[in-house]
Amino acid sequence: MDLQELQVVAPAAFSDTPAPHVSDRYQHVRTADIVEQMMNDGFTIKSASQQKTQKRTAGNEAFQKHRITMRMPTDNGDTRKLGSIFPTVNIVNSGNWSSTFIMAVGLYRLVCENGMIAPFGAANETIKIRHDRINEDTQAGIQRAIDAAPGLFGFADMCQGTELGTDEVRQFANEAARLRFGVQPEESVDESMIQGLLRVRRYDDAPSDLWSVFNRVQENGTRGGFKVPDANNRMRRVRERRNIVADTDWNQGLWGLTQDWASRLN
């Protein structure tokens, strides 16, 4: 994706001014400027999205929250056995004060079918950027992101070598379902949630090691397509998660859960 394509998908990234209603003290950050700086440092744009406007926010497309995924200028031959993964930095920003400017370090997996890019571990580390120190903080954040990449690969490799028993796979999915569907501690997780999150979409994700189970749960939780009961106990189809905040929270929460499991089993 180049800058012209990015402008079509996420026009708010190119806004020169913040939304009219924000305070005069608000220091606007033009996301496209940061993207260009990162591209000059060897990063490439892999994907982008922008929050849709609601009826009450119609006309504010130029200031909506947006997310841009940048691939780091690093390579690691060991990643081949992990399923074509690469390190990324997710940039999240807005021009209406709905989001601070953050850079979230993570991993992405390129899924060959249909060229789809499935995110996982969307934020192993979140780097917040102060609007009054944008140049200094951004440059430092870029370097921190690059420095974090080897650790991400090492963690993924460890998870691949961590085998789960049948009961452990179900327990992992049970805990993940609480994160994904907001199931309270006093409530039980419905079987349909567990089965939906554990659905095998492709052969490579069928094994029971922690890495494969994590990938299954992450993608199913993000893509949806299965049915779970709603508050009235009626079965409803889980939709693909498109809300930037909700998707980031899901990925961060699941990554943290996986870290807990890896620490517990190793």
Side-chain angles (χ1 to χ4, degrees), residues 91-153:
I91 300 172
V92 180
N93 194 23
S94 73
N96 57 10
W97 229 338
S98 63
S99 172
T100 57
F101 185 94
I102 64 172
M103 299 171 66
V105 182
L107 292 173
Y108 263 55
R109 180 177 62 157
L110 179 63
V111 180
C112 296
E113 296 179 4
N114 301 320
M116 183 177 67
I117 294 178
F120 56 80
N124 175 262
E125 178 183 12
T126 299
I127 303 166
K128 293 187 177 180
I129 308 295
R130 284 176 50 177
H131 283 206
D132 59 346
R133 293 178 50 183
I134 189 67
N135 292 328
E136 180 183 348
D137 284 0
T138 299
Q139 196 58 50
I142 291 172
Q143 189 57 52
R144 285 174 60 190
I146 293 174
D147 292 343
L152 295 175
F153 287 128

Side-chain angles (χ1 to χ4, degrees), residues 166-183:
T166 302
D167 291 341
E168 290 174 321
V169 170
R170 285 185 53 82
Q171 182 58 33
F172 181 88
N174 184 295
E175 294 177 24
R178 291 187 180 278
L179 291 174
R180 176 60 179 82
F181 301 106
V183 181

